[in-house]
Amino acid sequence: MIDTHSDTTGARTREQEFLSDLRDFLEEHGVALENAAGFLGGPRWARRVMQLRYDMSIGALSPRACHREITAVLVLLHAHVACVTELCASRRCLHTDGSDPHAEDIRQLNNRLQSLVGSVSCADNSLFRNPA
């Protein structure tokens, strides 16, 4: 007999762990992430991260929405760290200017956030998908 209840409970536990880890990350690195998003993507991205931080602090987002938002921010950071031409054609690209004082800080944020999102090992759960 297949125990679907334990699968559902396990998925909920992973979701709650992800949300807790994301909340902790945003408490510790939220301002830096907001600044990096604004630096790379402009005021619209800074506001998007600010809204994510607020929504996470009051528990206003579903796990799916949280993951969608943090993945979008991760894609923004990754595009500029890896210099994905299509995504950073009209924005600042850190790969081409390694001397930029913000570059190392943003690379570290990208790595920490990638690690957080990547630590959610739910390949069978469509809720958690790492950005390409």
Side-chain angles (χ1 to χ4, degrees):
M1 178 176 205
I2 298 174
D3 186 5
T4 56
H5 177 69
S6 69
D7 290 343
T8 305
T9 304
R12 283 191 193 125
T13 301
R14 288 188 296 268
E15 288 174 4
Q16 292 308 312
E17 288 173 1
F18 171 73
L19 292 175
S20 176
D21 290 348
L22 180 56
R23 212 171 277 113
D24 293 345
F25 180 87
L26 290 174
E27 283 178 20
E28 185 176 345
H29 303 290
V31 173
L33 189 61
E34 189 178 314
N35 290 337
F39 177 73
L40 296 171
R44 182 177 67 91
W45 277 96
R47 284 189 304 271
R48 188 171 179 175
V49 173
M50 185 185 311
Q51 186 66 47
L52 173 63
R53 291 178 59 215
Y54 175 74
D55 290 344
M56 285 295 300
S57 72
I58 64 170
L61 291 178
S62 69
R64 183 177 306 273
C66 289
H67 194 267
R68 181 186 62 239
E69 286 301 305
I70 206 64
T71 299
V73 173
L74 184 57
V75 167
L76 173 73
L77 295 178
H78 181 73
H80 293 280
V81 170
C83 195
V84 177
T85 309
E86 306 83 48
L87 294 176
C88 66
S90 64
R91 297 185 181 124
R92 183 172 219 132
C93 188
L94 297 173
H95 183 73
T96 58
D97 187 7
S99 65
D100 190 315
H102 299 84
E104 186 56 31
D105 293 338
I106 292 174
R107 281 189 194 95
Q108 287 179 4
L109 270 175
N110 177 64
N111 293 340
R112 288 179 183 153
L113 192 54
Q114 180 65 51
S115 177
L116 172 68
V117 173
S119 70
V120 181
S121 58
C122 302
D124 59 332
N125 187 339
S126 63
L127 173 63
F128 300 111
R129 300 243 189 245
N130 286 336

